[in-house]
Amino acid sequence: MNAKILIADDEPNQLELLSFNLKQAGFTVFTAADGKQAVTMVEDMQPDLLILDWMMPHMSGIDVCRLLRSRTETKNLPIIVLSARGEEGDRTLGLDTGADDYVSKPFSPRELVSRVKALLRRARPALANDMMEFEDLQIFPSRMEVRRAGKIVPLGPKEYQLLLTLFERPGQVFSRPLLLDRVWGHGVFVEERTVDVHFSRLRKAINGAASDKDKRPNLIRTVRGGGYALRTHT
């Protein structure tokens, strides 16, 4: 799995243990020591999943969860809350606040890794597989390789990341600002027209040149005023 996991916990030993086990499972792991730092890092690095400890200084995990759910760009971010509070009322509060899963301490790191994988399969299925497929287009994330009808499609890093983003949710329209944040990074100033330029290159690469006998149907849809999506009906 190439998914990015952010862990927010004020206990260094817990951070180290969770980081080790998630890295062993193939994830890219980042850590935050408190709630405020977690919010900043979510904005800057846009993780694929967030693990939040309930009790943290400056801002609790529950408050972080509530804040992220109130924002359009993070309302669908998969979130797991960790807590020593095992009462049913606390579990209900965590889930009602917007957490996708609630894990009571103490817990097995192996169990948490399994829960992370299960949540990613539900929320971001494209990240849970070594081979992702749409029509006759395939992506192999572990080696950053793209094939169409069995033939390798050479792509630049930005074109690859744009295509990978569309693969997360076929048919969903991704706006230019969202794509800029996902591929170029939050806070980086890049004109929205840059997205159009890279999508033009991406289309040319995966659809074939006009003179190519094996030119394939166009799988990328442009939505005027909206953005880009994988075409679910060609």
Side-chain angles (χ1 to χ4, degrees):
M1 293 188 181
N2 287 330
K4 296 184 294 185
I5 309 296
L6 174 61
I7 311 169
D9 198 315
D10 62 327
E11 298 179 22
N13 291 339
Q14 180 97 317
L15 275 180
E16 184 177 355
L17 179 64
L18 294 180
S19 296
F20 174 79
N21 281 274
L22 287 166
K23 287 177 181 177
Q24 287 292 103
F27 295 105
T28 300
V29 180
F30 301 86
T31 61
D34 59 62
K36 285 189 176 180
Q37 186 182 15
V39 171
T40 299
M41 291 184 69
V42 167
E43 293 172 347
D44 291 342
M45 57 163 285
Q46 299 184 7
D48 298 300
L49 184 143
L50 174 62
I51 299 174
L52 283 173
D53 185 50
W54 184 312
M55 301 299 293
M56 290 187 291
H58 307 304
M59 193 174 189
S60 72
I62 291 298
D63 288 337
V64 172
C65 187
R66 186 178 290 115
L67 174 63
L68 295 177
R69 287 293 180 251
S70 71
R71 297 178 173 178
T72 302
E73 61 272 23
T74 54
K75 67 180 181 180
N76 295 318
L77 173 66
I79 296 175
I80 297 176
V81 169
L82 308 178
S83 178
R85 305 161 64 124
E87 297 296 326
E88 183 179 351
D90 295 322
R91 184 182 188 88
T92 301
L93 175 60
L95 296 173
D96 286 348
T97 303
D100 297 283
D101 200 355
Y102 182 101
V103 180
S104 299
K105 298 178 181 179
F107 57 84
S108 160
R110 182 178 297 178
E111 177 194 355
L112 183 64
V113 170
S114 295
R115 287 177 180 250
V116 167
K117 290 180 178 179
L119 181 52
L120 280 174
R121 278 195 295 270
R122 296 196 305 270
R124 307 281 292 278
L127 295 170
N129 301 297
D130 185 53
M131 192 275 283
M132 297 133 61
E133 191 169 17
F134 179 79
E135 299 289 343
D136 60 349
L137 192 62
Q138 297 173 323
I139 297 181
F140 301 86
S142 62
R143 55 183 188 265
M144 294 181 67
E145 181 179 287
V146 176
R147 289 177 177 266
R148 185 156 195 196
K151 297 180 180 179
I152 291 180
V153 179
L155 294 178
K158 292 292 189 280
E159 286 77 29
Y160 172 80
Q161 290 297 330
L162 288 169
L163 184 61
L164 191 64
T165 300
L166 297 190
F167 256 72
E168 290 177 13
R169 299 182 187 277
Q172 176 177 316
V173 179
F174 290 84
S175 69
R176 290 173 178 82
L178 178 58
L179 290 167
L180 283 172
D181 281 349
R182 283 285 191 90
V183 177
W184 279 264
H186 182 78
V188 177
F189 179 74
V190 180
E191 292 184 359
E192 290 187 9
R193 187 178 180 281
T194 302
V195 176
D196 300 327
V197 172
H198 283 277
F199 263 105
S200 177
R201 295 174 184 169
L202 176 58
R203 274 202 181 98
K204 194 172 293 184
I206 67 173
N207 295 336
S211 59
D212 191 343
K213 293 181 181 178
D214 297 323
K215 185 177 179 181
R216 316 298 298 180
N218 182 15
L219 295 181
I220 297 177
R221 181 167 64 101
T222 303
V223 179
R224 182 173 296 181
Y228 294 90
L230 283 182
R231 189 184 302 275
T232 52
H233 299 287
T234 56

